[in-house]
Amino acid sequence: MTTAASPNTPAAGPGQMESQAPNDQFEDTKIRIQGLSVGYSDGTESLQDISLDIPANQITVLFGPSGGGKSTLLRTINRLNDLADVVSLEGRVLIDGVDVLDPKLDVIELRRRVGMVFARPVVLPMSIRQNLTYGLELSGEKDPGQFEEAVERSLKASALWEEVYDRLDDPAVSLSGGQQQRLCLARVLALEPDVILLDEPTSGLDPISTGKVESSLQKLKQEYTIVLVPHSVQQAARVADYAAFFLNGQLVEFGMGKELFVHPQDSRTEDYIEGRFG
Amino acid sequence: MDKTLKLGTSSTAKRRVQRLGYGLMTLAALVTVLPIVLIVVHIYSQGLPAISWEFLTAFPSDGMRAGGILPALVGTIWLTIGTAIVSVPLGIGAAVYLAEYAADNRWTRAIRIAIINLAGIPSVVYGLFGLGLFVLFLQFGTSIIAGSLTLAIMTLPVIISTTEEALRAVPNSFRVVSISLGGTQWQTIRRIVLPQALPGMLTGVILGLERAAGETAPILFTVAAFFLPRLPSSIFDSTMALPYHLFVISTQVPGMPVKIQYGTAVVLLSFVLGMNIIATIIRSRARARRQW
Ligand SMILES: Nc1ncnc2c1ncn2[C@@H]1O[C@H](COP(=O)(O)OP(=O)(O)OP(=O)(O)O)[C@@H](O)[C@H]1O
Ligand SMILES: [Mg+2]
C-alpha cells in the first residue's frame, strides 16, 4: 500500500537520500510507526494498521479528507490521546527506537520532547513571557538566565521577536491571532523538543501570517523533525518534504512531496489532489 | 418602493410589541426588587439610630432591654470563621475531585444528585442532625465546634456546587495545552485551573458563609445561648449569636425596646450584605480581567 520514494529523485535535504533503502528506510528515521490501529469508544476504527517511517530533520505532512485519522495519529505520537476515549490501541510508535506507547513510559518527558501546536491558537491566561517559560517551570527549571535565553531564542525562531520584544510582560491575549499562533509555536520551541507536531496550525490565519509560520518551519527543520497536518492541499504541496495521504483511517500513499504531488501513484490520491473528491 | 413601505410598517408594529415586552420585563424586575429595597430601607431607617460604638461593644444589660450586642456579634464572627475553616477546604477539595479527577459514571452522578438534594434540606433538619451527631453522640455539648460543624455541613453543598461550576467554566483547551507542554494533571490544576476559577470559587464560598452567618435553626440546638454574660473562651463553649439573639429579643423578652430590635437587625443585615457586596466586587473585577 505504501509507495517508496524513488531513490534517484533529487533529495529535499542535502545528503539525505543517497543511502535510502527501499520501503521507506531512511538513513535517519526519527519516528517509526508499525502496524498502528486506534479505535475510539464510539466504535470508529480511526487508524487501521498504519506503518510509516518519518525521517529526521524533514517536514512530513499528513494530509487527506476530514476524519481520515490525521489528528489521531499526531495525538498518538505524543500520547495526548491518553486523554481521549481510546478503547483499542495496537501496534508500535518508536521514536529513536523507543516505543512511546509502552505503558511504563514517562509520558511527561515524552511530551516535553514531542511538542504540539494546535489548530486554534490557545495562549495561556498569562503574559507572553510566562507562556514561554511555563513548560520550563513545570520541568523544575528555576534559573532566570535559562528563562531569558529560552524566551529570546524561541521568539526569534518563530519570527515573533521583532514584534514583541518590548512588551513581553503584556497579556498574551493582547496579541493578534497570527501572533498568538507563532507564540504557541515559540512556547513549544522553548522546551527544545526533538519533534514538533502541528495540527492545521495556520487554519485560522491570514496568508501573511501563514507565510511567516511556513518559513519558520523551513528553518526549524534543520534542528527538529516536523510533522504537519496542513489546512489545504496547496499548503501540503508547498511545505512537504515527505507526504502521507490518509483516507478513512488508512494510509493510501507515502512518498516525497515533490513526487507525490506531481505523480501520485494511487488514483484516490490523485483525485483528492486534483480536487475531485467527495 | 412598495416593498420598502411594507417593511417599514411591519417593523413599526414589531417595535411596538418589543417595547411592550421590555416594559413588562422591567415591571417584573421592579416587582422583585421593590420589596427587598423596602425591607432594607425600613430596617435601616428604624435601626440606624440605635447603632453606636457602645451598642457594638457592650454586653446586654437590664435583661437585654438595654446595653449592646457584643457577645452575639463576637459569637457570629467565631461561628463564621469556624464554618469557613471546616467547609472551605473540604468543599473545594470535593469540587476539585468531582470536576477534575472523577470519571463521569453512575457513582459520581449519584454524589452530585446527593449534593443538590443536600442543598434543599431545611436548615432545622441540619440543626437536629448536628444535635444528634456533634452535641450528643460526639459529646461536644452545645459549643462553637458543634455549631460550626453543623453550619459547615449545611454550607458544603453550596460551596461544592459553585466551585465545581467555576472549575468547569475554565476552558478545557487550557488543560490540554498544559498537559501537552509536559504538565502533570496536578500542575495543570494548580497553575492554570485553580487561579482561573478562583473568583468564581470565592463568590460561592462567600455566599455559602453568608447563609451560615444568618441562619438560626442550625445553631439553635448546637451552640446558641439565650444569654451569656461573657465571651466564649474556647471552641467547646457555647455562645450567643446574632440571628438567635434577634429571635430572642423579638419574641422572648417582654417590654423590649423596638429600637434595639431594629439595631440588632441592622448589624446582622450589614454583616450579610457586606459579604454579599464583597462577593459581587470580586466577581465583577475578575470578569473585567478575564482573558478568555
Ligand atoms: N476524541 C475522540 N473520541 C471519539 N472519536 C474520535 C475522537 N477524535 C477523533 N475521533 C474519530 O476518529 C476519526 C478520525 O478523526 P481525526 O480527528 O483523527 O481525523 P482528521 O483526519 O484529523 O480530520 P480533520 O481533518 O477533520 O481534522 C473520526 O471519525 C472521528 O470521529
Ligand atoms: Mg484533525
Side-chain angles (χ1 to χ4, degrees):
Chain A
M1 184 153 269
T2 318
T3 314
S6 142
N8 50 17
T9 43
Q16 280 295 322
M17 304 307 297
E18 280 85 354
S19 61
Q20 190 195 318
N23 297 324
D24 306 318
Q25 301 294 314
F26 298 102
E27 179 190 351
D28 194 2
T29 295
K30 185 74 184 176
I31 306 173
R32 168 161 296 172
I33 296 158
Q34 295 176 327
L36 181 68
S37 298
V38 179
Y40 290 107
S41 58
D42 58 4
T44 47
E45 176 92 314
S46 298
L47 287 175
Q48 295 150 34
D49 195 19
I50 302 296
S51 292
L52 174 66
D53 280 4
I54 294 175
N57 300 97
Q58 303 284 343
I59 298 178
T60 301
V61 303
L62 315 176
F63 74 110
S66 185
K70 307 170 302 269
S71 302
T72 298
L73 180 54
L74 287 192
R75 290 195 308 260
T76 305
I77 295 174
N78 72 347
R79 292 274 298 270
L80 209 55
N81 245 6
D82 288 9
L83 307 180
D85 273 339
V86 176
V87 289
S88 66
L89 183 61
E90 274 168 54
R92 304 207 294 169
V93 174
L94 305 166
I95 299 183
D96 293 332
V98 176
D99 185 2
V100 302
L101 301 185
D102 184 344
K104 291 194 291 291
L105 182 96
D106 178 359
V107 283
I108 303 297
E109 181 58 28
L110 170 71
R111 291 182 190 135
R112 253 173 232 143
R113 286 185 48 207
V114 182
M116 185 153 192
V117 178
F118 302 88
R120 207 165 54 86
V122 177
V123 296
L124 295 171
M126 41 181 85
S127 72
I128 297 171
R129 187 196 305 278
Q130 286 165 330
N131 261 277
L132 295 168
T133 57
Y134 181 77
L136 289 171
E137 279 172 40
L138 294 183
S139 71
E141 180 63 63
K142 295 211 164 58
D143 178 8
Q146 288 290 320
F147 291 156
E148 276 304 302
E149 186 275 330
V151 167
E152 184 166 344
R153 173 178 51 76
S154 61
L155 285 175
K156 282 183 171 160
S158 62
L160 192 56
W161 175 254
E162 295 297 323
E163 291 158 64
V164 302
Y165 70 92
D166 54 350
R167 51 178 180 131
L168 293 174
D169 293 308
D170 286 6
V173 279
S174 67
L175 298 173
S176 74
Q179 291 172 327
Q180 287 187 22
Q181 190 59 303
R182 276 177 286 150
L183 181 64
C184 291
L185 177 58
R187 189 170 60 191
V188 164
L189 298 176
L191 283 169
E192 299 189 85
D194 298 350
V195 178
I196 307 174
L197 311 173
L198 304 105
D199 196 349
E200 306 185 32
T202 56
S203 58
L205 305 189
D206 63 277
I208 293 176
S209 299
T210 301
K212 284 183 182 165
V213 171
E214 286 178 11
S215 68
S216 299
L217 294 180
Q218 292 300 340
K219 284 185 209 130
L220 289 169
K221 73 179 185 187
Q222 278 147 38
E223 286 176 63
Y224 304 95
T225 299
I226 295 174
V227 186
L228 171 92
V229 176
H231 75 259
S232 66
V233 177
Q234 289 76 9
Q235 183 176 47
R238 270 199 307 273
V239 303
D241 295 321
Y242 290 88
F245 177 61
F246 282 82
L247 183 62
N248 299 330
Q250 297 187 333
L251 176 60
V252 173
E253 182 167 355
F254 176 70
M256 288 185 62
K258 286 181 182 149
E259 277 285 295
L260 191 144
F261 290 104
V262 183
H263 304 295
Q265 304 291 308
D266 194 291
S267 63
R268 292 169 294 177
T269 316
E270 186 171 1
D271 285 349
Y272 183 71
I273 292 170
E274 317 245 304
R276 286 195 296 264
F277 224 82
Chain B
M1 269 321 264
D2 199 21
K3 252 184 188 169
T4 326
L5 210 69
K6 264 188 206 152
L7 212 68
T9 353
S10 89
S11 96
T12 323
K14 258 187 207 155
R15 226 178 292 147
R16 207 170 292 149
V17 173
Q18 203 170 25
R19 217 177 293 150
L20 186 71
Y22 279 139
L24 283 174
M25 279 187 270
T26 314
L27 193 69
L30 273 179
V31 167
T32 329
V33 172
L34 206 63
I36 300 172
V37 172
L38 283 179
I39 291 171
V40 170
V41 167
H42 175 71
I43 288 179
Y44 274 79
S45 65
Q46 300 283 310
L48 270 181
I51 306 293
S52 65
W53 186 242
E54 164 87 32
F55 185 70
L56 296 175
T57 58
F59 281 83
S61 56
D62 190 18
M64 295 192 263
R65 289 182 196 87
I69 54 164
L70 179 70
L73 183 57
V74 169
T76 285
I77 292 172
W78 279 125
L79 284 172
T80 310
I81 293 173
T83 305
I85 289 173
V86 180
S87 64
V88 170
L90 259 180
I92 290 179
V96 167
Y97 172 75
L98 284 175
E100 303 291 327
Y101 288 98
D104 185 25
N105 55 30
R106 208 176 301 162
W107 174 235
T108 49
R109 274 196 292 275
I111 292 180
R112 258 188 215 103
I113 290 171
I115 290 170
I116 292 169
N117 282 317
L118 274 180
I121 289 179
S123 55
V124 67
V125 176
Y126 282 102
L128 289 169
F129 176 76
L131 172 68
L133 181 61
F134 302 122
V135 177
L136 300 176
F137 184 72
L138 294 175
Q139 301 189 340
F140 291 154
T142 50
S143 57
I144 292 180
I145 183 167
S148 297
L149 288 168
T150 308
L151 288 171
I153 291 179
M154 186 192 76
T155 315
L156 268 177
V158 181
I159 295 185
I160 294 175
S161 38
T162 47
T163 301
E164 200 189 341
E165 209 173 298
L167 293 170
R168 286 190 191 282
V170 177
N172 200 42
S173 54
F174 289 165
R175 295 181 184 83
V176 175
V177 163
S178 173
I179 298 278
S180 80
L181 290 168
T184 61
Q185 195 175 2
W186 172 241
Q187 284 175 323
T188 303
I189 291 171
R190 194 169 60 81
R191 286 166 175 267
I192 307 281
V193 182
L194 283 178
Q196 291 301 307
L198 191 63
M201 287 159 58
L202 275 178
T203 313
V205 164
I206 293 175
L207 291 178
L209 292 179
E210 171 193 315
R211 184 175 167 214
E215 279 284 357
T216 311
I219 59 174
L220 193 56
F221 321 114
T222 55
V223 52
F226 188 84
F227 175 69
L228 266 186
R230 57 187 159 76
L231 296 180
S233 58
S234 99
I235 56 169
F236 293 104
D237 283 353
S238 64
T239 179
M240 295 176 72
L242 278 177
Y244 183 56
H245 183 60
L246 183 57
F247 167 74
V248 166
I249 61 176
S250 308
T251 60
Q252 312 290 304
V253 183
M256 191 70 208
V258 172
K259 199 174 117 179
I260 293 190
Q261 293 170 349
Y262 274 106
T264 308
V266 162
V267 175
L268 179 57
L269 201 60
S270 304
F271 196 85
V272 171
L273 281 184
M275 288 170 81
N276 213 323
I277 289 168
I278 293 172
T280 311
I281 291 174
I282 292 174
R283 199 170 25 200
S284 58
R285 282 228 184 126
R287 206 168 284 162
R289 254 184 307 135
R290 176 169 294 182
Q291 303 186 2
W292 34 275

